[in-house]
Amino acid sequence: MTELAAVKTALKTQAVETPSWAYGNSGTRFKVFAQPGVPRNPREKLDDAAQVHAFTGAAPTVALHIPWDKVDDYGALAKYAQERGLKLGAINSNTFQDDDYRLGSICHPDAAVRRKALDHLLECVDIMDATGSKDLKLWFADGTNYPGQDDIRERQDRLAEGLAQVYERLGNDQRMLLEYKFFEPAFYMTDVPDWGTAYAHCLKLGPKAQVVVDTGHHAPGTNIEFIVATLLREGKLGAFDFNSRFYADDDLMVGAADPFQLFRIMYEVIRGGGFTPDVAFMLDQCHNIEAKIPAIIRSVMNVQEATAKALLVDGAALADAQRTGDVLAANAVIMDAYNTDVRPLLGEVREELGLDADPVSAYRRSGWGEKIAAERVGGQQAGWGA
């Protein structure tokens, strides 16, 4: 097999999980701009997700967020997804929108609130059992706003205790993905602020606990690809939440702010053996002023483009330059791959899969956007808190 054929084969295996909440109304703390045709329930979210997969061929799973996607029969929802060529992916918990969680959830000083949060997390595992989902994704808004507000060490103890109880509930083929975020909404101290804290907890828990790298959850100047390389080296990278950041946690289309960074990350994924189903490529985005489905399609394409460029890095030439200490030659190998226009290559890959070479244009020609705007009238649009 030629090198180019091998790259094409690898690209055809890539899967990017889309988030149910990105199809609904979402925005900033200041304003959520409602759009016509937005889903009114989880099934309509899956209908839209099926369009993304149909035009990209690379988005076969959809992450759910509980309680935003709560239904009476999760088995029926999984079947509905299957009928549309999809599977239900990660189950995302929500311990940040209830009044009881003002001072935290599983790190809260009140045992009754911690019990409530734990019960919700265990409910999410029950949902995993019903849907066939393998991943439980945990992000906690827990933290403090002022020095002395609570005991830092005790909060870590409470976190460890709660995570351990959830871990014990997981099935043999299920895993816990722990996400970190260095600030917001807790402004003085966040209980899971960085990859080291998440890694320490996952290491203590065992092999079914792994770290999620959200590309927006880092301080300016953070070398995310180093974090990726280290977690892969330790066997603890479980998933990505792909988005883009200009300032802090900006859940924009992945690659919008720094496509070169996305390429560097994908190179480390491939270099470290992480281009497998064991590392989930998930999107975590909101689309407030742009049309939702085309934005999600574009995000999938951006991941594909970064991956294609990373696969084109000449590993032998790079290793030779590194061994001989030729700094400029080594950098040139990386830059040559990044500066390659891979859009024609990806167009060929899509056509070989029976798809249109240009997913965005094909979606617009399909008339789906006009169809849902006309049909989804009345009822309550899905959105944050829905």
Side-chain angles (χ1 to χ4, degrees):
M1 183 182 292
T2 66
E3 180 182 353
L4 193 58
V7 169
K8 283 186 172 183
T9 298
L11 290 169
K12 289 175 184 177
T13 68
Q14 188 169 33
V16 180
E17 182 163 302
T18 68
S20 69
W21 52 96
Y23 297 99
N25 285 322
S26 58
T28 70
R29 288 169 294 172
F30 303 103
K31 174 65 176 174
V32 174
F33 294 104
Q35 297 184 18
V38 166
R40 296 163 295 184
N41 53 61
R43 293 194 173 205
E44 290 183 346
K45 294 179 184 179
L46 292 174
D47 291 338
D48 288 354
Q51 295 297 308
V52 174
H53 184 46
F55 290 105
T56 64
T61 59
V62 181
L64 299 184
H65 209 297
I66 308 301
W68 298 346
D69 295 316
K70 198 160 188 174
V71 295
D72 293 332
D73 189 335
Y74 290 99
L77 188 64
K79 183 179 179 182
Y80 188 86
Q82 185 177 23
E83 291 169 350
R84 279 143 191 80
L86 301 170
K87 290 185 178 180
L88 299 182
I91 303 300
N92 292 253
S93 61
N94 184 320
T95 55
F96 52 87
Q97 284 193 309
D98 193 291
D99 285 347
D100 285 342
Y101 300 141
R102 182 170 60 91
L103 300 179
S105 60
I106 64 170
C107 299
H108 199 288
D110 188 332
V113 176
R114 295 199 301 273
R115 182 70 245 179
K116 175 179 177 176
L118 179 61
D119 287 343
H120 169 67
L121 301 182
L122 296 176
E123 175 196 14
C124 287
V125 182
D126 292 338
I127 294 170
M128 293 169 66
D129 293 340
T131 60
S133 301
K134 304 300 181 186
D135 293 336
L136 172 66
K137 187 143 70 70
L138 305 177
W139 173 73
F140 298 104
D142 293 36
T144 60
N145 281 359
Y146 295 96
Q149 178 182 322
D150 200 358
D151 188 282
I152 294 176
R153 286 178 58 103
E154 285 188 8
R155 290 181 73 90
Q156 286 297 305
D157 290 341
R158 298 169 200 154
L159 174 65
E161 180 182 357
L163 291 176
Q165 293 183 66
V166 178
Y167 187 90
E168 288 302 313
R169 170 65 182 81
L170 293 173
N172 292 331
D173 60 344
Q174 295 173 336
R175 60 181 185 167
M176 170 193 299
L177 303 176
L178 182 58
E179 187 175 349
Y180 58 90
K181 183 177 182 181
F182 76 113
F183 82 105
E184 192 189 38
F187 291 107
Y188 170 64
M189 181 278 301
T190 302
D191 290 304
V192 189
D194 51 43
W195 72 272
T197 304
Y199 171 75
H201 281 283
C202 289
L203 187 65
K204 186 174 182 180
L205 288 166
K208 293 186 290 185
Q210 294 187 300
V211 180
V212 177
V213 174
D214 185 308
T215 52
H217 286 188
H218 300 85
T222 299
N223 190 314
I224 299 175
E225 53 268 36
F226 171 81
I227 298 170
V228 170
T230 301
L231 290 173
L232 278 171
R233 184 172 177 269
E234 298 298 322
K236 280 296 181 183
L237 179 63
F240 285 96
D241 269 2
F242 280 129
N243 49 49
S244 219
R245 63 174 300 280
F246 286 93
Y247 297 104
D249 181 23
D250 307 329
D251 288 338
L252 306 173
M253 293 188 306
V254 59
D258 189 351
F260 185 43
Q261 180 191 64
L262 180 59
F263 158 77
R264 300 193 309 265
I265 290 171
M266 289 311 306
Y267 171 72
E268 290 301 335
V269 169
I270 293 165
R271 166 69 180 84
F275 193 60
T276 72
D278 292 333
V279 177
F281 297 159
M282 299 185 285
L283 304 181
D284 181 13
Q285 300 175 8
C286 69
H287 305 291
N288 193 24
I289 61 173
E290 67 274 33
K292 299 176 188 304
I293 298 175
I296 298 169
I297 291 174
R298 178 62 67 185
S299 249
V300 173
M301 294 171 66
N302 288 350
V303 175
Q304 290 178 307
E305 288 182 19
T307 304
K309 293 181 177 186
L311 288 165
L312 289 173
V313 172
D314 187 337
L318 181 60
D320 184 64
Q322 291 170 341
R323 279 193 302 269
T324 59
D326 193 333
V327 176
L328 293 179
N331 179 248
V333 171
I334 292 293
M335 295 309 300
D336 284 346
Y338 176 68
N339 288 322
T340 302
D341 185 356
V342 297
R343 290 173 297 177
L345 172 65
L346 283 163
E348 291 178 14
V349 168
R350 295 184 186 111
E351 288 176 340
E352 290 173 8
L353 292 172
L355 305 172
D356 193 287
D358 184 347
V360 173
S361 295
Y363 168 74
R364 290 198 165 129
R365 290 194 306 271
S366 74
W368 181 260
E370 294 79 7
K371 178 178 182 292
I372 58 178
E375 293 180 353
R376 294 176 184 172
V377 177
Q380 180 68 40
Q381 287 188 318
W384 285 358

